[in-house]
Amino acid sequence: MIYRRLTTILVILLSLVLSVDAAQKNFTLCIDAGHGGHDAGAVGKISKEKALALRYALAFGQMIERNCPDVRVVYTRKTDRFLELWQRAEIANKAKADLFVSVHINSLPKGHIARGYQTYALGRSRRDGNKQGYIENLEVAKRENSVILYEKDYKQHYEGFDPNSPESNILFELIQDKNMENSIQLAKFMQKNICSATGRQDKGVHQDNLCVLRKASMPACLLELGFISTPDEEQYLNSDRAVQQYSRGFYNAFVAYKNKVAPGIKVPYKPIAEQPEERVKPEKPADQTDQQKPDSAEKRPAPADTSAKPEAAEPAVDSAPVFKVQILTSGNVLKPGNRLLKGRTDVSYYREGGIYKYTVGASTNYQEIYQLRKEVLPKFPEAFIIAFRGDKKMNVNDAIQEYKKNKRKK
């Protein structure tokens, strides 16, 4: 045990030297597509985790390559091939990567439903207290580490790794101590920006003893993009729109992280705004949205219902936020009776990014709009809540916090 700890200290010292060397070269990002080959990962009704993880990993890397000329992107795999967990981290270590990100798709046993995005950083999981949190974190750790069983000579590479053993927890904390702060910062940036770009439910940042992260000698995190075991979430994850939204969120998170930890950048990176959609379809399925401003303050009732109430009762700029439920978007104004409106006669729309976005409801009472969203979900499963202050769209999370604060004052 003493020998192993001495080895660990040497590893830390070596990584410090590597980090100094890394400061003299271009920033290197290593992106890992989870699973592959004979390891399919989680399996849904229409897709497999290994294929989705590869699709998103390549899209994320291409987004960085297009917009960050001083960043070198390294991939652990670009095809459907199997890699052992230690090999994935070894690719990043040999490339002297400054950052390692592993892409995965979440899953639950049959009969369980969950939706949303979550990020994992290496660390001791919070397994005391909330029993449900313990179960969820433990299951993720077991599932992501279970691929070890597919590997030859796994005892040699992992030294009998047991995520539940105190010795293992001590070892991985020693190895990753210097990178822990940056890993958590990265995870927070990922969680915030990906949820904002996609509108997915925020499942939070977690820490656990995940082997693919434990073997990396640089800040690292693992992304669980969504639940392949939930039918509507699987459909969304397989869409081109989801790939675009997740890529935008990933890019914005990467830019925020790089600007914070590696300020010597050559290009004034800016977040990528939401791109307009080309065809009529629902937009996002959760109670979150981006902060893009509408093209116009104009609010009109939809042509599908000439008797619908116009959204004229907008508050002043300094008044309380107004919540609404966005049900779909369109490249054109929808004609009366359009099938996409599914019989609703209380719709209104606003124009943003050249796209017409249709909403129902308008209230300063968040609870009313929350209930309204639940009512429209059967017909509009990707409906989500947005917020305005006057004629300007605002971050819905900020609006909710303001609503709660004002409610406590009454």
Side-chain angles (χ1 to χ4, degrees), residues 103-114:
V103 181
H104 290 259
I105 310 297
N106 222 328
S107 180
L108 287 177
K110 187 176 181 180
H112 293 75
I113 295 293

Side-chain angles (χ1 to χ4, degrees), residues 63 197 244 248 251-252 270-276 290 292:
M63 177 72 81
Q244 294 169 0
R248 186 175 74 252
Y251 169 83
N252 289 341
K270 296 181 180 180
I272 294 179
E274 178 184 2
Q275 299 300 312
D290 53 47
Q292 200 175 24

Side-chain angles (χ1 to χ4, degrees), residues 147-359:
V147 67
I148 292 174
L149 300 178
Y150 286 101
E151 303 176 10
K152 297 179 180 179
D153 302 322
Y154 72 90
K155 290 183 179 180
Q156 174 185 345
H157 293 295
Y158 301 104
E159 301 172 346
F161 172 70
D162 177 4
N164 298 309
S165 70
E167 294 81 10
S168 181
N169 282 336
I170 291 171
L171 282 174
F172 81 70
E173 280 195 333
L174 282 172
I175 293 172
Q176 286 292 343
D177 185 61
K178 85 176 188 67
N179 291 325
M180 192 69 68
E181 183 178 348
N182 283 347
S183 294
I184 293 174
Q185 183 66 70
L186 170 66
K188 289 180 178 179
F189 281 135
M190 288 291 174
Q191 196 68 30
K192 176 182 177 181
N193 286 278
I194 288 180
C195 285
S196 176
T198 64
R200 310 314 291 171
Q201 183 178 338
D202 189 340
K203 301 289 285 186
V205 172
H206 306 271
Q207 288 181 266
D208 217 322
N209 188 359
L210 300 175
C211 193
V212 70
L213 301 183
R214 182 174 65 90
K215 288 286 182 177
S217 63
M218 70 287 299
C221 70
L222 184 146
L223 317 181
E224 293 281 6
L225 302 186
F227 290 82
I228 199 172
S229 53
T230 302
D232 62 286
E233 188 127 305
E234 183 185 15
Q235 289 281 352
Y236 170 72
L237 288 169
N238 277 274
S239 69
D240 292 339
R241 177 167 54 90
V243 175
Q244 294 169 0
Q245 291 176 339
Y246 273 100
S247 296
R248 186 175 74 252
F250 180 89
Y251 169 83
N252 289 341
F254 174 78
V255 167
Y257 173 84
K258 188 173 184 296
N259 287 345
K260 183 176 179 65
V261 305
I265 56 177
K266 304 174 183 177
V267 179
Y269 297 146
K270 296 181 180 180
I272 294 179
E274 178 184 2
Q275 299 300 312
E277 300 172 53
E278 297 181 355
R279 57 183 184 276
V280 177
K281 53 186 175 181
E283 190 181 19
K284 305 178 210 174
D287 297 352
Q288 299 187 36
T289 186
D290 53 47
Q291 302 180 43
Q292 200 175 24
K293 295 181 180 180
D295 290 339
S296 169
E298 186 178 8
K299 301 289 183 293
R300 314 162 200 161
D305 177 27
T306 55
S307 63
K309 295 180 179 179
E311 298 180 343
E314 294 291 351
V317 172
D318 60 349
S319 63
V322 172
F323 299 96
K324 304 174 185 180
V325 179
Q326 186 163 311
I327 57 175
L328 59 88
T329 63
S330 170
N332 303 294
V333 176
L334 298 180
K335 296 180 179 180
N338 191 293
R339 61 181 179 81
L340 293 175
L341 298 175
K342 299 181 180 179
R344 293 217 55 116
T345 59
D346 57 343
V347 294
S348 297
Y349 68 85
Y350 66 100
R351 192 168 180 266
E352 181 180 48
I355 301 296
Y356 297 93
K357 302 188 175 185
Y358 287 79
T359 66

Side-chain angles (χ1 to χ4, degrees), residues 72-83:
R72 179 170 70 110
V73 180
V74 174
Y75 302 88
T76 59
R77 69 181 181 97
K78 287 187 174 182
T79 60
D80 182 19
R81 68 189 185 101
F82 177 74
L83 283 171

